[in-house]
Amino acid sequence: MPELPEVETVCRRLRPFVSGKTIETVDVLDAKIIRGHEPEQFVAHLLGETIIDVERRGKFILFKLTHGYLVSHLRMEGKFFPHDERVNPVKHSHVIFSFTDGSTLHYNDVRKFGTMELKTNEELFVTPPLSLLALEPFDPNVTAEALHKRLSRMNVRAIKTALLDQSIFVGLGNIYVDETLFRAGIHPTRPAASLSTVEVEAVRQEAIAVLTEAIERGGSTIRSYTNPDGATGTFQETLYVYGQTGNPCRKCGRPIEKMKLGGRGTHYCPHCQQ
DNA sequence: AGCACTGTTTACAT
DNA sequence: TATGTAAACAGTGC
């Protein structure tokens, strides 16, 4: 269930594996994964294409092809598994790529929420879904002033809900947004418009710190995430609030609480986050 | 058994 | 327009 650090970890693993390889066959075992085109068109376009590079934009994986891009989102449970040879699909294998060197890439997705879509170079950033994204969080143009201006226009929205909106801030999901708000000392239900520029800057800095540290640790494995090698991340060892319900806060010792906000489980310290 | 929960996004109703 | 809810699906845990 990847957020930006997990997707970045996946991209770093896939990049050396697929770069320079030419697609020989594509088996679509479940058409639900394919968006934008009929599966037949999807396959027909990919045959003979070479994967030039693997890039990331937000939580999307971008396979740069000879012609255009294959854009993939893992949603909750999507996983890519590289293999040096042809192997049989397993349960929940939905799309299988084989390359002219004999290696294969399997897409596995228990809940089938993940997507794959072809885009031309011209369409890529000016059509949904990528056109809807805010700037990358590490972009210097993401300033406290710009973010504060945007948040100040929100009527009643809670800061947590706003930060999960990828058109406002890119890369945070339910784990890292809770961690960001804890580190910034901001209560998740605070109206987004009520944050001062100083508080917004604290949120921005902590978000970048959390995302950066999580990338360095290969992401977080709470229950099911593994990278394409099957390895787990280790950032979960450093979590302050996510999944820590009832445990003593590492800053003040009072128990971490959990509530429901915007339909998502929300973890916070009632003392450190007023 | 049945229900609530899960790391995401979006279509739809209000 | 903005915001909240349900839905897509499968598995796990109580």
Side-chain angles (χ1 to χ4, degrees):
Chain A
M1 309 178 194
E3 304 176 37
L4 186 150
E6 290 75 25
V7 177
E8 176 65 25
T9 302
V10 170
C11 286
R12 290 182 182 184
R13 173 62 183 93
L14 292 181
R15 189 171 298 122
F17 179 79
V18 299
S19 292
K21 291 186 179 180
T22 299
I23 298 170
E24 185 168 278
T25 65
V26 180
D27 293 327
V28 177
L29 278 45
D30 193 321
K32 182 183 184 302
I33 304 298
I34 312 304
R35 303 293 177 88
H37 295 80
E38 290 304 311
E40 297 76 19
Q41 291 180 281
F42 176 82
V43 172
H45 179 86
L46 287 172
L47 297 183
E49 288 286 298
T50 296
I51 300 180
I52 310 296
D53 199 3
V54 181
E55 301 162 12
R56 180 191 58 73
R57 173 76 173 98
K59 302 175 190 173
F60 290 86
I61 300 170
L62 280 48
F63 294 91
K64 182 175 172 57
L65 307 170
T66 320
H67 302 91
Y69 284 82
L70 171 59
V71 178
S72 181
H73 197 298
L74 305 175
R75 294 289 180 97
M76 294 290 266
E77 298 273 358
K79 296 177 179 67
F80 281 104
F81 290 118
H83 299 282
D84 288 331
E85 65 289 319
R86 303 266 197 286
V87 300
N88 290 328
V90 297
K91 194 174 185 182
H92 307 305
S93 295
H94 302 312
V95 184
I96 298 177
F97 304 86
S98 77
F99 303 103
T100 54
D101 70 348
S103 63
T104 56
L105 182 65
H106 289 224
Y107 179 74
N108 184 292
D109 191 341
V110 168
R111 296 175 72 179
K112 301 185 195 175
F113 287 173
T115 62
M116 292 184 199
E117 187 171 7
L118 292 172
K119 290 287 183 182
T120 65
N121 293 339
E122 295 71 31
E123 292 171 327
L124 185 63
F125 293 118
V126 299
T127 60
L130 298 188
S131 64
L132 303 175
L133 297 179
L135 298 172
E136 285 293 304
F138 313 107
D139 190 309
N141 290 318
V142 178
T143 63
E145 291 71 27
L147 204 49
H148 179 262
K149 189 175 177 183
R150 179 81 190 272
L151 295 174
S152 67
R153 289 199 295 265
M154 319 250 77
N155 275 340
V156 295
R157 222 169 179 194
I159 182 61
K160 166 165 177 171
T161 313
L163 291 173
L164 283 175
D165 186 332
Q166 301 294 297
S167 73
I168 296 174
F169 194 89
V170 157
L172 295 177
N174 208 34
I175 297 176
Y176 300 122
V177 74
D178 281 359
E179 293 302 305
T180 294
L181 288 172
F182 173 83
R183 293 195 192 192
I186 309 280
H187 197 284
T189 62
R190 277 272 302 278
S194 75
L195 271 67
S196 68
T197 306
V198 171
E199 288 175 315
V200 171
E201 174 61 7
V203 167
R204 189 192 69 84
Q205 285 186 15
E206 296 299 345
I208 287 176
V210 165
L211 293 172
T212 303
E213 291 168 31
I215 289 171
E216 289 169 356
R217 285 175 158 269
S220 302
T221 299
I222 306 297
R223 43 177 290 273
S224 67
Y225 168 77
T226 65
N227 75 13
D229 297 317
T232 60
T234 65
F235 189 76
Q236 69 278 4
E237 297 164 7
T238 75
L239 298 175
Y240 284 93
V241 289
Y242 187 89
Q244 306 303 310
T245 312
N247 293 347
C249 171
R250 281 161 48 198
K251 282 188 182 170
C252 76
R254 290 185 43 171
I256 300 301
E257 294 188 7
K258 184 178 181 181
M259 64 178 293
K260 198 96 166 177
L261 176 57
R264 315 296 301 275
T266 298
H267 313 73
Y268 63 102
C269 172
H271 180 256
C272 297
Q273 296 168 265
Q274 296 290 336

